[in-house]
Amino acid sequence: MFASWLRFGLTSGRVTTSYPKNREVLLREHSSWHTVPRLDATAARKPTPTLQDVKAWAMRCPTSALFVWSDESGWGISLDEGACIGCNRCVVPNVQRVTEWGADVDLFALDRLALVDSVRLQGGDFRDGQQK
Amino acid sequence: MDNKSDWNELDAEKQAASRLRRIFGKSLHVRHIDVGSCNACESEVLALSNPYYNFHRLGLFFTASPRQADVLLVTGAMTPTMKPILMETYEAMPKPRLVVAAGVCAIHGGVFANSRQFAGPVESVIPVDAFIPGCPPTPYALINGILAAVNGREGVTRDA
Amino acid sequence: MKVLTAQGSNLKHVERQHHRIGDLVHAVVHFASEESAQLLYFGWIPKTGGWSRLLAVIGRPKHALIEWHHAAPTFGQTAYPSLSARWPAALWLEREMWELTKVLPVGHPDLRAILHPENQEERIVVHGDEVFQLPLGPVRSDVVESMFMRFDTQGEQIVHMQPELFYKHRDIERLAVGLLYPDGRFLAERVAGTSTIAHATAYARAIEHALGHVVHPKVEQERIVFGELERLYNHAHDMAQMASAAGMTVAQAQLSRVKEECLRVNGDLCGSRYLRNAVLPYKGSDVEWAQVVSTVIRRLRDINGRFTQCLDLLRRTPTFVDRFVGAGIVKQEWARAYGTVGPVARACGQPVDVREDYLRDRYEQQAYRVVVDEAGTGDGWARFVVRAGEWEISQRVLTKGLQLLANGDFMEAGSLAGTQDDSKNDGFSLERTGIGLSESPRGRVCHVVQLDPDGRLAFWGIRAASAWNWPVLGLAVANGNIQQDFPPIEASFGLSCAGVDR
C-alpha cells in the first residue's frame, strides 16, 4: 500500500510495532471498533427494498451522510463517509440491511469524492453505481 | 502478481521515495491545529506518540511551530474565530506543505454543520491533501492518512 | 420500596418564583455563604409564551434540595444587580449573559467580551517596573486545544495570568433548539469529547427529569459503569500530562500506554473508544454484559497493576514530586467563592462530588467514597494524590458495578419502562424543564433543558466542569509561581476548553 520507505520508517527504520506492516492482523484484532458503516453492495441481491422504505430509513441519519439519489434508469443510495459520525442508527437491525459496520479502522482518502460510496438499488446492474 | 511487476513496483517506490526524501529530508514534522473540535480528536492525535502507535519510528514528529512543519493536521469544525488563525498558520508554513483534515468536523462539519458558528469545512479555506473520516478517527487512520498524504503528492516540488 | 428520582432518592426540587430579578439575586447571594450550597446553573431561559427569565439553580446537598429560583424582567429592563459582585462563581457566566442579552449586571467588575475573543479590545494590563507581557496561543506547542493566555511577568515571577477561551465556541446550545430530544444526544456527546459519557448522561437525566420519568435501574447502572470507564482513561491521561510537564518521559510513555489500553477496553466493549452511543435518554446500551464482564474485569486488573506500579515509582521520584508540591496553590476560600468542582476542589479539602452529593444511594452499593485531600493544601501535588485515590475508587466501583450488571436482578425494581419521577412538587411552574447532573472526570456537569410539547428542545443550558475551574487557574498560576511552574500547574488542573466553549 505504501512505499517501502514509509512502511519501514524514514530513517534507518526498524519497525518496532506491527503496524502498518501487518494490516490484516490489526483489522482482525480491532474488528469490534466501529468508525463508519459501509454500504453492503450485495444488499441489492436480497429482496429489493422500496424507494419509500429506503428514503424513510436514510432520514434517520443525523448529518445527512446517507442519502438517496435517482437518475433516468433507477435509484440508489449513497453514504458520505466524510459526514458520517458513526452513530449506530442506520446499522441497528433493519429490514433493508443496506449498511453494516465497516471493519476499516484506518480509513482515509486523498480525494473528497472518494469518501462517497454509492450503491445502485434499482435500474442498471446491481453493482456499485457511478459516483453521485 | 508475478515477480517482475513486483520488482517494477518496488523500483517506482524507490524513485518516489528518493524524490520525497530530497524534499522533506529524512523526517516529517507535523503541526496540529484545533479549529473547533470537541477534544476527542486531540486525544487521538496525542495517542500517536504513545508506545502503541509510536509514530516517531516512521520519522514523524510533532513540532511546536508552524515554521518548522511539513504537515498541518487540522481537527474540528472551523469556527469564524479560528478561520483567520488557521489561514495564518498555513501561511507561516514553509513550502512544500501538506494539509491533512482529520475527523468528520474538519471534512464536513458533522453535527455542527448547521451551527451559526461553523465557518465551513477546512477544504473551503486551504487545499487539503488527505481526508481522514471518523468521529474521532482512530490513531491508525491518522498514521495512514498522514503517510498517504506524503505518498500521494506525486508531482511534489519545492514550491508546491 | 424506595423510589429513586432522576438525581437520586429523597432529593426534592423546590421552586421559588421572585417578582423582581433583584430579589432573586438577593436570595441567591444568601447561599454564597452557606456551607456546601452549590450554584448549579445561572442564566437566562425562555419561558413558554416567549418571555425570557433569569434562572438560578442552587444545589443544597446537605438538605437534599435543589432550589429553582427564577424571575422575569420587568418590561424594558436593561440592568440588574450583579450576582458575581458577591459570588465570584458567576463571573464568567455574567460576562457571557451580558454579551448575549445586553442586560447589564450592575457592579460586575469585568465586562470584557468573552464569546468573541477576536473582538476584544480592552485588556487587563499590569503596570510596574520590568513587567513583561507574554502572549501564549491560540496555536501553542504540543497537541492542545486552542486557547489564549496572557501572562504578565516580572522577571521569572508571574504577576498576572488571564486565560481567554471561546476560540472554539460552536454555539451548541442554540444549535440544538428545535431538535427532537433523541437527536440532541449527538450534540451532547460532542460537547466535550473526552467527557462523552458525562455529558450524555447529564443530558439523558435532564430529559428524563423534564418529562417526569425515572429509567430502569439497570440503565442507570450502565451509566455509572461507563462513567467510571471514562474516568479511568481521563485520569491516566491527566497523569501522563503531569509526568510530561515534569519531564518524566518514561512515566509519560507508561501512563499514556495505560490510557491507550483503557481506550481499547472501551472500544472492544461498545465499538467506540470514546464510549459514544452508549448512553441514550430512556435507553440502555446493547452491550451483552454477562458475556463480557469477566474479560473486562481481568483487563482492568492488568491495567491497574501497571498504573499503580508506575505511580508508586513517581511518588518516590523527588524530581517529580518537587515540581508539584507547593505549585499552583488554590486557596480554600477561592475554591469556595469560585465554586470549583472536581479534583481541583477535592484537593482543597472540599467534598464537592455529584456522586456523593446527589447520587449517594446509587453509588452506595458500589463501595464508593469521595476522595478528598484532608489537609486541603490545594497544590499540584494534592491534585495528583486525589486523582490517584480516585483511580483506586473507580477500579473498585467498576468491579462491583460490572458484577452487578452481569448477574444483578434488576427486574424486581419494576418494569423496564421505569417509574414516575415525583421529585418536583405540584406547583412547579417551569413546565417540561429538567436538570441533569453527572460527575465527569473533571467535575460536575450540569445540563438544564426545556422541551416543547412535541418533544423538541426549546432550551438547553450546558455547564461543563471546566467552566468552574478556569477562572481559578489564573489565580493559582499568578500567586507566587514562576514561568517554569506553569506547565505542571496547567497539567495538574487538567482542564478542557471544548466543554467551556460549547
Side-chain angles (χ1 to χ4, degrees):
Chain A
M1 190 169 198
F2 302 122
S4 51
W5 64 279
L6 277 174
R7 234 175 9 225
F8 297 108
L10 287 159
T11 50
S12 70
R14 265 281 176 82
V15 176
T16 49
T17 43
S18 56
Y19 186 79
K21 207 169 146 201
N22 297 327
R23 185 163 177 272
E24 297 309 312
V25 178
L26 165 111
L27 294 186
R28 215 167 39 238
E29 266 176 13
H30 301 309
S31 59
S32 54
W33 294 8
H34 304 318
T35 42
V36 289
R38 63 187 159 87
L39 290 173
D40 184 5
T42 61
R45 295 201 193 89
K46 296 167 190 167
T48 315
T50 65
L51 177 61
Q52 206 177 359
D53 274 357
V54 175
K55 262 190 181 162
W57 174 64
M59 284 281 284
R60 304 168 67 133
C61 182
T63 55
S64 312
L66 205 60
F67 56 93
V68 178
W69 48 266
S70 60
D71 55 18
E72 55 282 355
S73 60
W75 56 273
I77 189 160
S78 288
L79 172 70
D80 182 359
E81 286 165 344
C84 172
I85 57 168
C87 75
N88 54 6
R89 276 200 181 169
C90 61
V91 187
V92 291
N94 57 76
V95 277
Q96 293 82 9
R97 203 75 201 153
V98 189
T99 47
E100 55 189 31
W101 281 119
D104 287 351
V105 297
D106 56 352
L107 205 62
F108 73 92
L110 296 179
D111 182 12
R112 178 70 179 85
L113 283 178
L115 286 172
V116 185
D117 262 357
S118 300
V119 168
R120 177 178 288 281
L121 290 176
Q122 197 171 64
D125 52 348
F126 287 143
R127 257 180 288 133
D128 288 3
Q130 69 271 37
Q131 288 288 322
K132 180 72 185 157
Chain B
M1 199 184 284
D2 57 49
N3 279 341
K4 204 180 166 201
S5 65
D6 227 13
W7 278 110
N8 285 344
E9 197 185 306
L10 200 65
D11 203 40
E13 281 184 352
K14 264 188 185 160
Q15 278 178 17
S18 61
R19 193 170 62 239
L20 285 169
R21 210 181 249 168
R22 254 203 322 274
I23 293 159
F24 286 118
K26 283 189 173 180
S27 64
L28 199 70
H29 285 251
V30 179
R31 174 64 241 183
H32 160 264
I33 181 171
D34 155 27
V35 291
S37 86
C38 70
N39 205 8
C41 286
E42 275 71 67
S43 180
E44 293 292 51
V45 172
L46 208 55
L48 289 178
S49 58
N50 77 24
Y52 271 95
Y53 303 100
N54 186 17
F55 78 156
H56 306 125
R57 76 196 144 91
L58 298 166
L60 294 164
F61 299 94
F62 290 124
T63 177
S65 164
R67 299 227 178 260
Q68 299 153 357
D70 305 310
V71 178
L72 186 63
L73 182 60
V74 192
T75 58
M78 186 167 58
T79 61
T81 318
M82 285 307 290
K83 189 175 174 176
I85 298 168
L86 173 66
M87 283 154 84
E88 247 177 76
T89 310
Y90 180 70
E91 284 306 314
M93 285 169 66
K95 291 170 186 170
R97 54 199 167 187
L98 300 168
V99 179
V100 177
V104 166
C105 294
I107 299 174
H108 167 268
V111 286
F112 305 116
N114 296 325
S115 171
R116 276 182 298 181
Q117 289 285 323
F118 177 59
V122 172
E123 205 187 2
S124 66
V125 181
I126 52 178
V128 176
D129 293 275
F131 301 86
I132 310 175
C135 185
T138 64
Y140 289 121
L142 290 167
I143 298 187
N144 213 346
I146 293 170
L147 294 184
V150 183
N151 212 20
R153 268 292 182 95
E154 278 289 310
V156 74
T157 55
R158 275 186 187 279
D159 32 46
Chain C
M1 205 201 99
K2 195 161 62 172
V3 177
L4 293 172
T5 64
Q7 322 291 347
S9 75
N10 306 327
L11 196 66
K12 277 287 170 197
H13 291 260
V14 183
E15 188 188 0
R16 303 250 195 277
Q17 197 164 348
H18 300 275
H19 292 297
R20 292 161 174 279
I21 291 179
D23 301 342
L24 178 144
V25 172
H26 186 74
V28 170
V29 159
H30 167 73
F31 293 109
S33 52
E34 183 184 306
E35 184 78 15
S36 88
Q38 297 162 4
L39 185 63
L40 299 179
Y41 187 84
F42 185 63
W44 294 97
I45 59 161
K47 191 180 177 273
T48 332
W51 278 97
S52 84
R53 34 182 62 218
L54 191 63
L55 173 72
V57 187
I58 309 285
R60 299 173 71 192
K62 284 269 162 63
H63 303 84
L65 273 181
I66 290 185
E67 290 193 12
W68 298 65
H69 294 257
H70 59 99
T74 51
F75 185 74
Q77 182 171 2
T78 54
Y80 69 97
S82 161
L83 173 64
S84 34
R86 303 278 298 281
W87 196 350
L91 268 173
W92 284 27
L93 304 179
E94 283 193 331
R95 270 172 80 182
E96 197 183 322
M97 285 153 62
W98 156 245
E99 196 171 338
L100 283 174
T101 60
K102 290 293 166 193
V103 181
L104 181 73
V106 178
H108 191 290
D110 171 21
L111 280 178
R112 289 171 302 148
I114 187 168
L115 288 179
H116 298 282
E118 76 273 22
N119 298 340
Q120 201 180 97
E121 277 161 16
E122 317 105 77
R123 303 216 152 106
I124 295 175
V125 180
V126 177
H127 295 283
D129 284 347
E130 295 165 7
V131 171
F132 180 78
Q133 199 172 69
L134 179 85
L136 181 67
V139 181
R140 299 163 56 198
S141 65
D142 206 357
V143 180
V144 285
E145 294 179 80
S146 294
M147 77 193 100
F148 183 80
M149 297 191 203
R150 196 182 299 280
F151 293 91
D152 289 291
T153 58
Q154 195 172 28
E156 287 286 295
Q157 207 74 24
I158 301 174
V159 181
H160 182 256
M161 197 282 272
Q162 183 67 36
E164 280 171 22
L165 271 67
F166 290 90
Y167 278 87
K168 323 196 290 178
H169 178 49
R170 286 154 291 161
D171 213 14
I172 294 175
E173 290 170 349
R174 268 157 294 282
L175 173 63
V177 171
L179 283 186
L180 285 168
Y181 77 78
D183 291 348
R185 67 129 173 143
F186 299 118
L187 286 168
E189 286 174 343
R190 284 157 186 85
V191 171
T194 47
S195 309
T196 298
I197 290 297
H199 281 279
T201 306
Y203 176 74
R205 283 182 182 149
I207 294 286
E208 287 150 11
H209 185 225
L211 296 176
H213 275 86
V214 182
V215 288
H216 189 264
K218 185 172 181 189
V219 177
E220 276 292 338
Q221 183 63 32
E222 282 187 338
R223 290 175 186 171
I224 288 174
V225 165
F226 285 131
E228 297 305 316
L229 282 172
E230 185 171 85
R231 196 176 321 281
L232 287 189
Y233 82 75
N234 267 294
H235 277 7
H237 171 84
D238 289 340
M239 297 289 207
Q241 291 300 97
M242 285 169 87
S244 148
M248 303 281 130
T249 329
V250 176
Q252 189 220 351
Q254 283 297 328
L255 289 167
S256 54
R257 180 181 169 202
V258 166
K259 179 196 176 191
E260 175 66 24
E261 281 163 359
C262 289
L263 287 174
R264 286 184 176 199
V265 170
N266 296 350
D268 294 343
L269 187 65
C270 67
S272 162
R273 283 156 58 89
Y274 291 86
L275 297 165
R276 298 236 156 108
N277 315 321
V279 170
L280 293 81
Y282 286 108
K283 263 164 99 181
S285 70
D286 41 15
V287 178
E288 297 287 344
W289 292 104
Q291 292 167 21
V292 295
V293 156
S294 56
T295 328
V296 172
I297 291 181
R298 186 172 43 78
R299 287 176 72 178
L300 286 177
R301 202 179 301 137
D302 288 353
I303 296 170
N304 189 34
R306 203 163 300 127
F307 181 83
T308 26
Q309 191 191 5
C310 185
L311 238 54
D312 283 344
L313 289 174
L314 274 181
R315 278 183 221 263
R316 283 185 275 129
T317 309
T319 43
F320 176 77
V321 179
D322 284 353
R323 294 300 300 276
F324 291 98
V325 172
I329 292 175
V330 178
K331 289 182 187 162
Q332 293 200 15
E333 58 262 35
W334 297 345
R336 176 78 201 101
Y338 283 89
T340 53
V341 295
V344 177
R346 295 194 280 273
C348 299
Q350 297 194 337
V352 182
D353 191 325
V354 170
R355 294 169 291 179
E356 170 75 11
D357 294 342
Y358 305 104
L359 300 164
R360 196 182 303 128
D361 40 10
R362 277 201 209 294
Y363 278 86
E364 238 165 24
Q365 47 182 336
Q366 332 264 344
Y368 170 78
R369 71 174 171 81
V370 61
V371 181
V372 182
D373 186 75
E374 293 301 338
T377 39
D379 59 354
W381 182 246
R383 291 190 279 277
F384 177 87
V385 172
V386 164
R387 283 208 180 85
E390 277 187 12
W391 168 282
E392 213 174 285
I393 296 287
S394 279
Q395 286 278 351
R396 228 158 67 188
V397 171
L398 266 176
T399 315
K400 200 96 187 234
L402 282 166
Q403 276 161 356
L404 263 175
L405 273 179
N407 43 29
D409 39 349
F410 287 102
M411 291 317 282
E412 53 152 294
S415 70
L416 269 167
T419 41
Q420 190 70 28
D421 180 1
D422 55 356
S423 65
K424 289 187 209 169
N425 59 5
D426 291 335
F428 207 76
S429 72
L430 294 165
E431 282 170 21
R432 285 179 292 278
T433 308
I435 188 168
L437 295 163
S438 74
E439 183 74 12
S440 83
R442 300 184 178 92
R444 183 208 316 133
V445 168
C446 170
H447 285 214
V448 175
V449 296
Q450 195 167 48
L451 292 170
D452 279 351
D454 51 351
R456 289 177 189 276
L457 286 162
F459 166 75
W460 186 11
I462 305 166
R463 288 289 167 260
S466 298
W468 305 104
N469 290 347
W470 268 108
V472 184
L473 177 69
L475 290 172
V477 166
N479 287 281
N481 297 292
I482 58 171
Q483 271 293 318
Q484 285 78 359
D485 286 332
F486 175 66
I489 296 171
E490 197 202 8
S492 73
F493 267 76
L495 299 170
S496 122
C497 300
V500 190
D501 292 0
R502 303 192 297 281

